[in-house]
Amino acid sequence: MKRPVVKLRFLQLSTSLFMEFVELKSDKKIEQAVLKVLRSGQYILGKNVEKLEKAIADFVGTKYAVAVNSGSDALFLCLRALDIGEGDDFDEVITSPFTFSATAEAIVRCGAKPVFADIDSNTFNIDPLQIEKKITKRTKAIIPVHLFGQMADMNKIKHIAERNNLLVIEDAAQAFGAEYIVNNEWKKAGDVGIAGCFSFFPTKVLGACGDAGMITTDIGGLAEKIRLLRNHGMEQKYNSKVIGYSSRMDEIQAAILLAKLPFLKDWLIERGQMANRYNEALEGLTWFPYEGLNAAHIYSQYTIRERRRDDLRNYLKAKGIPTAIYYPIPLHLQPAFSFLGYKKGDFPIAENVSQEVLSLPLYPGFKPPQQKKVIKAIKEFYDRY
Ligand SMILES: *Cc1c(COP(=O)(O)O)cnc(C)c1O
């Protein structure tokens, strides 16, 4: 039987950045889980949220996980709970200029000042050497962003933080399931800093059908404080201990994420296989993603670097192949952050990379024949131009 169109539009369960609907094995389970929540009458912070918190903590390897309403709020509530930005002086938080605006927004929203440090040209992640140059007596924390699914150099960043008494908060919004060798041990994203912040926005590797986020940590007191802050500072109903926020996860999103989680491992394997196929095809043609020896990349995005990026993009577009640019303008050159006083030339690598990056289609359900078409078109471009 043909499925009604409306239902497909409503679902979009396997959304990728390219927004092509692909029916996945998880879809039936998700439909059932959503229906169960709809009929339960409990829609915010219920059993599914509790179960999801436990499942995510287990997966990441932390003692606690606290569900919130987005990745942006995960970052913000985490900074707030750590009292960053509370003092009279501007606390400084060092982060990457080559990220989604949410990272630096969270720092500004809690009253602190984002201080950017340039990125590594191979991984696009914040460069530990540049972090060291930016530390002042006001620096309180570092927020490394695990961009495109590969963790930042957490070994070096952890050591820098320890030497300078700084907190490390991981922006792991793009790296659920990524791993890195820290002190000779494989660690998951979200399990290295004092806390990890995740987003389950629909286009992320583990995506809900709306907004959702999570904070992972081993520190019980921090988890408790975030629990208070996410729900109006209330421990008991209608008795607020502190000024809080309305940032809860709803049951439908939690149920959807719980239904998808068992499939994640297969999806990550599929992503790795697709990345390998691209790597083999692009060898010798253009710069393909660098995967560090210490890193297990999950390819949230498969992002190449190409000087003739716009020509290649237009060529693919004409063939009906969508691509994306993450990110066309580094944060320090965006109007919202102009008050920080940065100028063109301050972060040459981030600026350069932003002119050259191009993300190719890669998502579970993107079949090898479709990928072959993309590869063929790329090869054609290099044959012709
Ligand atoms: C998606 C994302 C966020 C924000 O997550 P939302 O759930 O959309 O608020 C933060 N940081 C990075 C690096 C992201 O990719």
Side-chain angles (χ1 to χ4, degrees):
M1 204 178 70
K2 241 181 134 192
R3 298 171 105 199
V5 172
V6 175
K7 210 167 165 198
L8 289 181
R9 278 162 47 84
F10 154 69
L11 283 170
Q12 289 282 344
L13 299 180
S14 50
T15 41
S16 70
L17 67 106
F18 308 102
M19 289 301 172
E20 182 183 356
F21 179 82
V22 188
E23 187 166 355
L24 294 177
K25 267 193 284 184
S26 56
D27 289 4
K28 264 262 125 15
K29 294 248 190 293
I30 294 170
E31 289 174 12
Q32 286 161 0
V34 170
L35 199 58
K36 214 167 148 190
V37 174
L38 286 177
R39 288 170 175 168
S40 75
Q42 164 99 43
Y43 302 127
I44 306 262
L45 289 185
K47 277 195 309 240
N48 286 290
V49 171
E50 264 175 44
K51 257 202 207 159
L52 180 70
E53 286 177 339
K54 215 180 158 304
I56 300 284
D58 282 352
F59 181 91
V60 172
T62 53
K63 285 194 190 137
Y64 310 96
V66 185
V68 293
N69 103 327
S70 67
S72 304
D73 275 8
L75 288 162
F76 169 70
L77 294 177
C78 190
L79 290 164
R80 174 98 318 157
L82 291 166
D83 296 327
I84 290 169
E86 304 271 286
D88 293 335
D89 286 350
F90 263 128
D91 285 345
E92 294 177 355
V93 179
I94 298 174
T95 193
S96 168
F98 192 58
T99 174
F100 182 54
S101 57
T103 318
E105 265 175 352
I107 299 168
V108 177
R109 282 206 283 151
C110 75
K113 181 182 169 193
V115 172
F116 296 123
D118 211 353
I119 57 170
D120 176 276
S121 59
N122 283 321
T123 62
F124 309 145
N125 281 324
I126 196 165
D127 179 349
L129 279 173
Q130 300 301 323
I131 294 177
E132 287 200 281
K133 290 184 191 160
K134 299 289 176 171
I135 294 172
T136 71
K137 59 181 195 308
R138 288 180 172 171
T139 310
K140 290 286 182 316
I142 306 166
I143 305 187
V145 180
H146 305 322
L147 205 71
F148 302 149
Q150 174 162 237
M151 287 174 70
D153 190 343
M154 294 309 287
N155 244 328
K156 289 198 185 131
I157 292 171
K158 225 177 137 91
H159 288 141
I160 292 169
E162 277 161 13
R163 277 203 307 276
N164 295 280
N165 201 17
L166 305 175
L167 300 168
V168 177
I169 298 150
E170 297 170 69
D171 183 340
Q174 301 182 10
F176 190 72
E179 296 184 49
Y180 204 84
I181 298 176
V182 184
N183 296 332
N184 297 316
E185 198 190 334
W186 282 102
K187 293 279 239 178
K188 282 232 166 55
D191 188 25
V192 183
I194 188 166
C197 298
F198 292 95
S199 164
F200 305 118
F201 187 79
T203 55
K204 310 289 179 181
V205 164
L206 181 65
C209 296
D211 281 308
M214 188 77 71
I215 297 123
T216 52
T217 183
D218 280 330
I219 316 278
L222 179 60
E224 277 320 302
K225 202 158 173 198
I226 295 168
R227 268 178 218 287
L228 265 187
L229 291 174
R230 76 175 171 182
N231 195 18
H232 302 287
M234 298 188 299
E235 212 155 55
Q236 277 142 14
K237 261 195 179 162
Y238 314 125
N239 187 4
S240 286
K241 280 175 92 173
V242 294
I243 296 293
Y245 304 86
S246 178
S247 183
R248 297 154 303 214
M249 189 187 284
D250 68 66
E251 282 283 291
I252 289 186
Q253 302 313 332
I256 289 168
L257 292 166
L258 275 171
K260 284 179 112 175
L261 196 54
F263 296 90
L264 183 76
K265 208 175 142 205
D266 286 347
W267 291 338
L268 294 183
I269 291 169
E270 213 179 319
R271 282 180 178 277
Q273 289 167 339
M274 280 183 269
N276 280 338
R277 285 198 289 270
Y278 273 136
N279 288 349
E280 276 166 28
L282 297 177
E283 174 105 58
L285 284 183
T286 189
W287 189 100
F288 58 84
Y290 170 89
E291 185 167 341
L293 276 180
N294 287 340
H297 200 318
I298 59 156
Y299 296 97
S300 268
Q301 308 299 343
Y302 185 91
T303 304
I304 65 169
R305 247 185 110 166
E306 170 53 55
R307 286 219 174 80
R308 291 175 291 157
R309 189 254 325 261
D310 295 336
D311 293 338
L312 175 59
R313 186 167 201 226
N314 288 333
Y315 187 82
L316 295 176
K317 192 175 169 203
K319 303 245 155 198
I321 296 165
T323 55
I325 296 173
Y326 305 108
Y327 295 93
I329 309 170
L331 297 186
H332 68 287
L333 301 179
Q334 294 187 19
F337 298 101
S338 62
F339 74 98
L340 294 170
Y342 291 110
K343 58 185 188 314
K344 211 169 167 150
D346 283 346
F347 304 104
I349 298 174
E351 289 168 27
N352 217 331
V353 162
S354 67
Q355 298 301 308
E356 298 183 354
V357 281
L358 188 67
S359 300
L360 303 179
L362 183 151
Y363 49 91
F366 183 61
K367 297 274 176 254
Q370 290 170 287
Q371 190 179 14
K372 272 208 185 109
K373 256 176 60 187
V374 177
I375 289 169
K376 185 164 162 264
I378 295 173
K379 286 192 165 154
E380 265 168 33
F381 172 83
Y382 286 105
D383 280 347
R384 287 192 194 178
Y385 304 103

